[in-house]
């Protein structure tokens, strides 16, 4: 789907007058937008990799925050109603995690007052901050990486993508799934059966069970299912060659990945971090810190979102490293 359409999808979840403001922005700026931030009693802000714009009431970019449109309590209430389709109960489970995924795979982060029950977050109240993150599919995002991950026309290396937030790990994963699920015309990789566990509905952007993003012709999607449970379900039911999922971090995730590899299934997944050391320091994942992954891909946004910093093999030898300026 065209990325200009993606930003228009997000606007459907904003109050009408804010929608109108953003639609007046130049097309070039619209395409740059990655986030739209609503903060109560603060300036309306749209931001991307190379831009941060405060928006005025007439839809113009203001040179300073002093002239920008100030977000009201009613703006936040209206947006929240649109995001949850006028039923807070329907998104209560997601609110515990601080975000709601809406149609198109866009993630809406929310902040306010946490309601604690038995030491855990039960829900959020008094929502005062919302961050609308635009999900963009970039065809070809994996072109520079894919060759390092393919070990034969029929198989890949178990791969972990390491990246800080907003540095393109989900975009890269999505394009790898597309590429590996369809295969190459030059037969570098013939194509594999992929089971995609899309817990947050961000990768495939399923609507009523149908992916809205291109995820390859041999990819099966389990949408909205917790990763650990989903991995086991897909191995039992869909006989995948590859399992793909996003943002591992729990002990259960590590156990499920180990089970997949022991069953002869290849794995591609992602984790938050900025280096191999960040991965090795995560205590919940100690079961998969040695001997599981055969390739590590490290991203940053030093030269823009999705900057490829390095590719390492399973023994942490450097296969590729970005030339520092």
């Amino acid at each position: 789907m065209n990325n200009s359409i993606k930003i228009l999808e997000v606007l459907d979840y904003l109050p009408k007058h804010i929608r109108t403001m953003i639609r007046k922005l130049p097309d070039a700026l619209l395409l740059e937008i990655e986030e739209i931030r609503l903060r109560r009693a603060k300036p309306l802000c749209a931001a991307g990799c190379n831009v941060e714009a405060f928006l005025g009431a007439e839809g113009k970019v203001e040179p300073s925050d002093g002239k920008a449109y100030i977000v009201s309590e009613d703006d936040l209430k209206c947006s929240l109603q649109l995001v949850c389709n006028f039923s807070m109960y329907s998104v209560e489970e997601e609110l515990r995690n601080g975000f709601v995924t809406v149609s198109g795979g866009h993630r809406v982060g929310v902040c306010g007052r946490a309601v604690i029950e038995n030491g855990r977050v039960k829900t959020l109240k008094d929502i005062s901050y919302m961050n609308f993150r635009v999900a963009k599919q970039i065809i070809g995002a994996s072109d520079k990486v894919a060759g390092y991950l393919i070990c034969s026309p029929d198989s890949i290396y178990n791969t972990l993508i390491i990246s800080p937030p907003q540095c393109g790990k989900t975009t890269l994963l999505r394009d790898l799934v597309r590429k590996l699920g369809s295969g190459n015309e030059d037969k570098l990789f013939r194509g594999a059966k992929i089971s995609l566990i899309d817990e947050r509905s961000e990768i495939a952007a399923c609507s009523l069970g149908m992916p809205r993003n291109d995820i390859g012709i041999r990819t099966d999607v389990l949408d909205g299912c917790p990763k650990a449970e989903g991995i086991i379900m897909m191995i039992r039911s869909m006989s995948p060659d590859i399992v793909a999922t996003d943002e591992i971090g729990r002990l259960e995730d590590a156990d499920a990945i180990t089970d997949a590899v022991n069953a002869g299934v290849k794995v591609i997944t992602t984790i938050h971090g900025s280096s191999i050391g960040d991965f090795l320091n995560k205590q919940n994942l100690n079961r998969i810190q040695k001997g599981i992954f055969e390739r590590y891909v490290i991203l940053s946004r030093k030269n823009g979102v999705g900057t490829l910093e390095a590719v390492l093999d399973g023994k942490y030898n450097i296969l590729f490293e970005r030339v520092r300026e």
Side-chain angles (χ1 to χ4, degrees), residues 70-299:
I70 302 300
V71 176
S72 69
E73 181 180 0
D74 285 342
D75 292 334
L76 286 155
K77 285 181 178 179
C78 178
S79 293
L80 189 59
Q81 288 176 337
L82 292 169
V83 165
C84 70
N85 197 23
F86 300 93
S87 172
M88 287 288 288
Y89 177 78
S90 68
V91 297
E92 191 175 64
E93 185 65 32
E94 291 180 274
L95 284 176
R96 288 179 187 148
N97 295 317
F99 67 89
V100 177
T101 303
V102 297
S103 180
H106 312 288
R107 184 187 290 190
V108 183
V110 294
C111 289
R113 183 164 63 91
V115 178
I116 306 298
E117 185 176 273
N118 298 323
R120 299 184 64 186
V121 175
K122 180 181 179 182
T123 188
L124 295 175
K125 295 178 63 176
D126 302 329
I127 303 299
S128 300
Y129 310 91
M130 298 181 73
N131 178 23
F132 294 78
R133 293 177 59 182
V134 182
K136 298 180 180 180
Q137 177 163 32
I138 301 177
I139 301 296
S142 64
D143 288 354
K144 193 173 182 179
V145 174
Y148 292 103
L149 312 185
I150 295 170
C151 61
S152 77
D154 300 300
S155 187
I156 66 164
Y157 296 105
N158 293 318
T159 299
L160 179 66
I161 301 167
I162 303 171
S163 161
Q166 284 193 281
C167 289
K169 64 183 177 301
T170 302
T171 300
L172 175 58
L173 176 65
R174 183 186 297 117
D175 200 57
L176 281 169
V177 168
R178 177 194 65 83
K179 186 186 293 288
L180 297 173
S182 291
N184 301 102
E185 292 181 3
D186 59 8
K187 304 303 180 185
L188 177 66
F189 190 77
R190 295 193 180 99
K193 295 180 294 180
I194 299 179
S195 286
L196 173 62
I197 295 87
D198 196 0
E199 182 173 0
R200 299 180 178 92
S201 304
E202 286 187 293
I203 305 168
C206 284
S207 178
L208 300 177
M210 286 297 294
R212 300 183 66 184
N213 288 327
D214 182 356
I215 52 166
I217 62 176
R218 298 177 183 85
T219 302
D220 306 305
V221 184
L222 183 58
D223 185 53
C225 182
K227 290 178 281 289
E229 185 176 354
I231 289 171
I232 302 305
M233 287 174 62
M234 293 297 257
I235 290 172
R236 289 172 178 168
S237 63
M238 302 306 292
S239 64
D241 302 310
I242 300 170
V243 162
T245 192
D246 203 9
E247 294 186 10
I248 61 169
R250 300 178 304 161
L251 177 61
E252 303 96 297
D253 300 338
D255 288 342
I257 287 170
T258 302
D259 290 345
V261 172
N262 288 341
V265 178
K266 294 296 184 177
V267 173
I268 306 177
T269 189
T270 74
I271 194 170
H272 281 135
S274 58
S275 67
I276 191 68
D278 288 346
F279 165 58
L280 296 176
N281 286 331
K282 293 183 185 292
Q283 295 182 359
N284 282 346
L285 301 179
N286 59 9
R287 190 176 178 190
I288 56 172
Q289 285 168 346
K290 292 183 179 180
I292 292 290
F293 293 109
E294 302 159 305
R295 290 292 184 269
Y296 298 93
V297 178
I298 301 170
L299 304 179

